[in-house]
Structure formats: C-alpha cells, structure tokens
Amino acid sequence: MSGIQIETFRWAAAQPALTGLVIMGAGFIYGFYGARLFRLLIAASCAGFGWLGGHLAAGFVSDIPAPVLGAIGAVGLGLAATRMLRAGVAFTSLATWAIIGAYLAGQFGLEREGGLIAAGLAGLFGLTHALLDCRGTTLVLTTLQGAVMIVVGWVSVTSQIAPSLGATFREWANSQELLVPGFLAMLFVTAYSCQVLRQRNIKGI
C-alpha cells in the first residue's frame, strides 16, 4: 500500500471540515474549469510544489524553519510560472506524473527502487507530453489535480462530519489497492469529458 496515500489521508482526516470543503471546492474548479483558468491554476500548482519542496528541503537545511522555506519555494515557483508559463506547465507535469508513478508503484507493492523507477518514467512521460502539447497538457494536469483534491477533500469532510463513514472509506482504501485509483479514474474521465464538451461549445440536454 502506498505510503503517499496513507500519509495524505491521515493528514486529511485530521483537518477541520471547512478545510476539506475548501479542498473539494478547489478540486471542482481545477477539474471542471481548468481549461478556462489554466494560467492561474498552473501558477497555483507550481506554488504548491514549491511549498512542498521547501518543507522537504528543511530536512537538509536545519537553520531555516520549514514554514519559511516553504513560503520561499511557493512564492518563487508561483511567480516564475506566471512569467514563464510553458516552463511552469513542464515542471508541473513532470512533478505531477512523477508523484502519480510513485503512488501507483506503492499501491501495487513495489519496493523503493521500483517506486523510483516508476516515478522517473512517469515524470519523463509528463515532461515529454508538456513539451509536445503544452495546451493539451494543461487540461490533463488540472483535471488530474482536481480529481485528487476532490478525493482528499472528501476524506477530510467525512472524517469530521460523519466519522464512521470517513473511517470506513479509509479502511477500505488501505485494504483495496484499486479502490482510490478507480475513484480517481472515474472523476478524471467525468471532469475531462465535461471540459472537452465545454471547449467544443456542445450544449447539454
């Protein structure tokens, strides 16, 4: 079972319900309106990765607090993405797909070396996709990230409002390796289809 999923769900379950609602709301914006707001959302994603990178770097730079490094990383990468959109898309795609590769490797029980290889191959795919089709990559990226946010927000909200439901979902997720990837795939397909139809100006029934 992937440590990424376990740690993420553990963090989400400890957050207030309001935080979960905000995460879910952001997920719906990313997933269903990413094509319209992609410049803002790519910058926000880069800022998020910068914040995460700053906190990880704090383990190697002991004299600077993690929140400070996180803030520096968030502001630096966020601003860079607003000035260099294509580079921001490429970086976000590489990081997003690398995390997905590591996550799926963990779900299927691969060891550390296997996870690193999966992360590297998936990251390379994401980078190549971004370099070949920047516009299409923004649609895929925002939809993927939106699906993840919706699931994480759901865990947070249910853990606080309906603890038994939240605990049951987390238990099932930790015992069935395909449950969460299946939910993510369904959310991705739904949101991606809605965005493609909206881009083509096809009216609903």
mmCIF file of all heavy atoms in Angstrom, residues 153-174:
data_model
loop_
_atom_site.group_PDB
_atom_site.id
_atom_site.type_symbol
_atom_site.label_atom_id
_atom_site.label_comp_id
_atom_site.label_asym_id
_atom_site.label_seq_id
_atom_site.Cartn_x
_atom_site.Cartn_y
_atom_site.Cartn_z
ATOM 1 N N GLY A 153 -10.349 16.041 -0.202
ATOM 2 C CA GLY A 153 -11.346 16.837 0.498
ATOM 3 C C GLY A 153 -12.473 15.987 1.040
ATOM 4 O O GLY A 153 -12.971 16.228 2.154
ATOM 5 N N TRP A 154 -12.888 14.991 0.269
ATOM 6 C CA TRP A 154 -13.940 14.072 0.715
ATOM 7 C C TRP A 154 -13.519 13.347 1.990
ATOM 8 O O TRP A 154 -14.307 13.214 2.938
ATOM 9 C CB TRP A 154 -14.246 13.074 -0.396
ATOM 10 C CG TRP A 154 -14.967 11.841 0.031
ATOM 11 C CD1 TRP A 154 -14.422 10.616 0.321
ATOM 12 C CD2 TRP A 154 -16.377 11.695 0.262
ATOM 13 N NE1 TRP A 154 -15.391 9.728 0.697
ATOM 14 C CE2 TRP A 154 -16.609 10.360 0.669
ATOM 15 C CE3 TRP A 154 -17.458 12.558 0.147
ATOM 16 C CZ2 TRP A 154 -17.861 9.876 0.970
ATOM 17 C CZ3 TRP A 154 -18.727 12.075 0.447
ATOM 18 C CH2 TRP A 154 -18.918 10.756 0.846
ATOM 19 N N VAL A 155 -12.285 12.888 2.031
ATOM 20 C CA VAL A 155 -11.785 12.206 3.231
ATOM 21 C C VAL A 155 -11.830 13.142 4.431
ATOM 22 O O VAL A 155 -12.255 12.763 5.528
ATOM 23 C CB VAL A 155 -10.351 11.693 2.998
ATOM 24 C CG1 VAL A 155 -9.739 11.188 4.312
ATOM 25 C CG2 VAL A 155 -10.349 10.584 1.965
ATOM 26 N N SER A 156 -11.424 14.387 4.233
ATOM 27 C CA SER A 156 -11.423 15.358 5.328
ATOM 28 C C SER A 156 -12.837 15.642 5.826
ATOM 29 O O SER A 156 -13.100 15.625 7.031
ATOM 30 C CB SER A 156 -10.756 16.658 4.870
ATOM 31 O OG SER A 156 -10.732 17.603 5.908
ATOM 32 N N VAL A 157 -13.751 15.904 4.896
ATOM 33 C CA VAL A 157 -15.122 16.253 5.281
ATOM 34 C C VAL A 157 -15.814 15.090 5.982
ATOM 35 O O VAL A 157 -16.426 15.255 7.042
ATOM 36 C CB VAL A 157 -15.933 16.695 4.039
ATOM 37 C CG1 VAL A 157 -17.404 16.851 4.391
ATOM 38 C CG2 VAL A 157 -15.383 18.009 3.493
ATOM 39 N N THR A 158 -15.737 13.895 5.406
ATOM 40 C CA THR A 158 -16.422 12.747 6.006
ATOM 41 C C THR A 158 -15.808 12.364 7.347
ATOM 42 O O THR A 158 -16.523 11.909 8.250
ATOM 43 C CB THR A 158 -16.393 11.536 5.065
ATOM 44 O OG1 THR A 158 -15.031 11.237 4.709
ATOM 45 C CG2 THR A 158 -17.194 11.810 3.806
ATOM 46 N N SER A 159 -14.497 12.545 7.493
ATOM 47 C CA SER A 159 -13.856 12.190 8.762
ATOM 48 C C SER A 159 -14.326 13.079 9.895
ATOM 49 O O SER A 159 -14.333 12.657 11.060
ATOM 50 C CB SER A 159 -12.330 12.289 8.619
ATOM 51 O OG SER A 159 -11.844 11.341 7.683
ATOM 52 N N GLN A 160 -14.739 14.315 9.574
ATOM 53 C CA GLN A 160 -15.177 15.236 10.603
ATOM 54 C C GLN A 160 -16.702 15.233 10.790
ATOM 55 O O GLN A 160 -17.188 15.284 11.916
ATOM 56 C CB GLN A 160 -14.710 16.666 10.260
ATOM 57 C CG GLN A 160 -13.205 16.823 10.195
ATOM 58 C CD GLN A 160 -12.523 16.474 11.503
ATOM 59 O OE1 GLN A 160 -13.042 16.765 12.577
ATOM 60 N NE2 GLN A 160 -11.368 15.835 11.425
ATOM 61 N N ILE A 161 -17.438 15.187 9.686
ATOM 62 C CA ILE A 161 -18.897 15.268 9.762
ATOM 63 C C ILE A 161 -19.536 13.901 10.007
ATOM 64 O O ILE A 161 -20.510 13.784 10.760
ATOM 65 C CB ILE A 161 -19.460 15.902 8.464
ATOM 66 C CG1 ILE A 161 -18.960 17.350 8.338
ATOM 67 C CG2 ILE A 161 -20.973 15.866 8.464
ATOM 68 C CD1 ILE A 161 -19.432 18.049 7.091
ATOM 69 N N ALA A 162 -19.003 12.875 9.363
ATOM 70 C CA ALA A 162 -19.517 11.506 9.532
ATOM 71 C C ALA A 162 -18.333 10.584 9.795
ATOM 72 O O ALA A 162 -17.869 9.885 8.881
ATOM 73 C CB ALA A 162 -20.297 11.073 8.290
ATOM 74 N N PRO A 163 -17.815 10.589 11.017
ATOM 75 C CA PRO A 163 -16.574 9.851 11.318
ATOM 76 C C PRO A 163 -16.605 8.376 10.939
ATOM 77 O O PRO A 163 -15.600 7.841 10.468
ATOM 78 C CB PRO A 163 -16.431 10.029 12.838
ATOM 79 C CG PRO A 163 -17.179 11.283 13.143
ATOM 80 C CD PRO A 163 -18.328 11.314 12.188
ATOM 81 N N SER A 164 -17.755 7.722 11.143
ATOM 82 C CA SER A 164 -17.825 6.299 10.808
ATOM 83 C C SER A 164 -17.675 6.081 9.308
ATOM 84 O O SER A 164 -17.000 5.139 8.868
ATOM 85 C CB SER A 164 -19.145 5.704 11.290
ATOM 86 O OG SER A 164 -20.253 6.376 10.699
ATOM 87 N N LEU A 165 -18.280 6.968 8.504
ATOM 88 C CA LEU A 165 -18.161 6.873 7.051
ATOM 89 C C LEU A 165 -16.727 7.144 6.616
ATOM 90 O O LEU A 165 -16.178 6.412 5.779
ATOM 91 C CB LEU A 165 -19.114 7.871 6.386
ATOM 92 C CG LEU A 165 -19.042 7.971 4.854
ATOM 93 C CD1 LEU A 165 -19.362 6.623 4.219
ATOM 94 C CD2 LEU A 165 -20.000 9.045 4.350
ATOM 95 N N GLY A 166 -16.125 8.187 7.184
ATOM 96 C CA GLY A 166 -14.752 8.503 6.834
ATOM 97 C C GLY A 166 -13.792 7.391 7.206
ATOM 98 O O GLY A 166 -12.905 7.032 6.423
ATOM 99 N N ALA A 167 -13.977 6.802 8.414
ATOM 100 C CA ALA A 167 -13.102 5.725 8.855
ATOM 101 C C ALA A 167 -13.265 4.488 7.976
ATOM 102 O O ALA A 167 -12.291 3.807 7.644
ATOM 103 C CB ALA A 167 -13.390 5.385 10.314
ATOM 104 N N THR A 168 -14.513 4.209 7.585
ATOM 105 C CA THR A 168 -14.763 3.047 6.723
ATOM 106 C C THR A 168 -14.120 3.233 5.352
ATOM 107 O O THR A 168 -13.499 2.301 4.814
ATOM 108 C CB THR A 168 -16.278 2.835 6.545
ATOM 109 O OG1 THR A 168 -16.873 2.595 7.821
ATOM 110 C CG2 THR A 168 -16.547 1.644 5.632
ATOM 111 N N PHE A 169 -14.244 4.444 4.803
ATOM 112 C CA PHE A 169 -13.638 4.702 3.495
ATOM 113 C C PHE A 169 -12.122 4.544 3.568
ATOM 114 O O PHE A 169 -11.506 3.923 2.683
ATOM 115 C CB PHE A 169 -14.001 6.109 3.019
ATOM 116 C CG PHE A 169 -13.392 6.460 1.696
ATOM 117 C CD1 PHE A 169 -13.963 6.022 0.517
ATOM 118 C CD2 PHE A 169 -12.230 7.222 1.625
ATOM 119 C CE1 PHE A 169 -13.400 6.330 -0.719
ATOM 120 C CE2 PHE A 169 -11.659 7.547 0.406
ATOM 121 C CZ PHE A 169 -12.251 7.101 -0.766
ATOM 122 N N ARG A 170 -11.501 5.087 4.616
ATOM 123 C CA ARG A 170 -10.051 4.979 4.738
ATOM 124 C C ARG A 170 -9.615 3.530 4.922
ATOM 125 O O ARG A 170 -8.593 3.101 4.383
ATOM 126 C CB ARG A 170 -9.542 5.829 5.911
ATOM 127 C CG ARG A 170 -9.765 7.322 5.725
ATOM 128 C CD ARG A 170 -8.918 8.151 6.691
ATOM 129 N NE ARG A 170 -9.076 7.748 8.071
ATOM 130 C CZ ARG A 170 -10.033 8.191 8.861
ATOM 131 N NH1 ARG A 170 -10.955 9.042 8.398
ATOM 132 N NH2 ARG A 170 -10.105 7.799 10.132
ATOM 133 N N GLU A 171 -10.414 2.767 5.679
ATOM 134 C CA GLU A 171 -10.090 1.354 5.884
ATOM 135 C C GLU A 171 -10.164 0.592 4.566
ATOM 136 O O GLU A 171 -9.277 -0.209 4.245
ATOM 137 C CB GLU A 171 -11.045 0.748 6.905
ATOM 138 C CG GLU A 171 -10.764 -0.711 7.216
ATOM 139 C CD GLU A 171 -11.730 -1.291 8.228
ATOM 140 O OE1 GLU A 171 -12.476 -0.507 8.856
ATOM 141 O OE2 GLU A 171 -11.745 -2.528 8.394
ATOM 142 N N TRP A 172 -11.224 0.821 3.820
ATOM 143 C CA TRP A 172 -11.343 0.165 2.515
ATOM 144 C C TRP A 172 -10.215 0.594 1.581
ATOM 145 O O TRP A 172 -9.644 -0.222 0.858
ATOM 146 C CB TRP A 172 -12.691 0.499 1.881
ATOM 147 C CG TRP A 172 -13.861 -0.191 2.518
ATOM 148 C CD1 TRP A 172 -13.831 -1.137 3.501
ATOM 149 C CD2 TRP A 172 -15.242 0.012 2.200
ATOM 150 N NE1 TRP A 172 -15.091 -1.531 3.834
ATOM 151 C CE2 TRP A 172 -15.993 -0.849 3.047
ATOM 152 C CE3 TRP A 172 -15.920 0.826 1.308
ATOM 153 C CZ2 TRP A 172 -17.374 -0.912 3.006
ATOM 154 C CZ3 TRP A 172 -17.310 0.767 1.261
ATOM 155 C CH2 TRP A 172 -18.022 -0.079 2.096
ATOM 156 N N ALA A 173 -9.913 1.909 1.585
ATOM 157 C CA ALA A 173 -8.864 2.418 0.704
ATOM 158 C C ALA A 173 -7.512 1.786 1.021
ATOM 159 O O ALA A 173 -6.704 1.528 0.111
ATOM 160 C CB ALA A 173 -8.772 3.937 0.830
ATOM 161 N N ASN A 174 -7.255 1.532 2.299
ATOM 162 C CA ASN A 174 -5.974 0.966 2.697
ATOM 163 C C ASN A 174 -5.898 -0.545 2.510
ATOM 164 O O ASN A 174 -4.808 -1.119 2.562
ATOM 165 C CB ASN A 174 -5.673 1.308 4.162
ATOM 166 C CG ASN A 174 -5.385 2.785 4.353
ATOM 167 O OD1 ASN A 174 -4.948 3.469 3.434
ATOM 168 N ND2 ASN A 174 -5.645 3.294 5.550
#
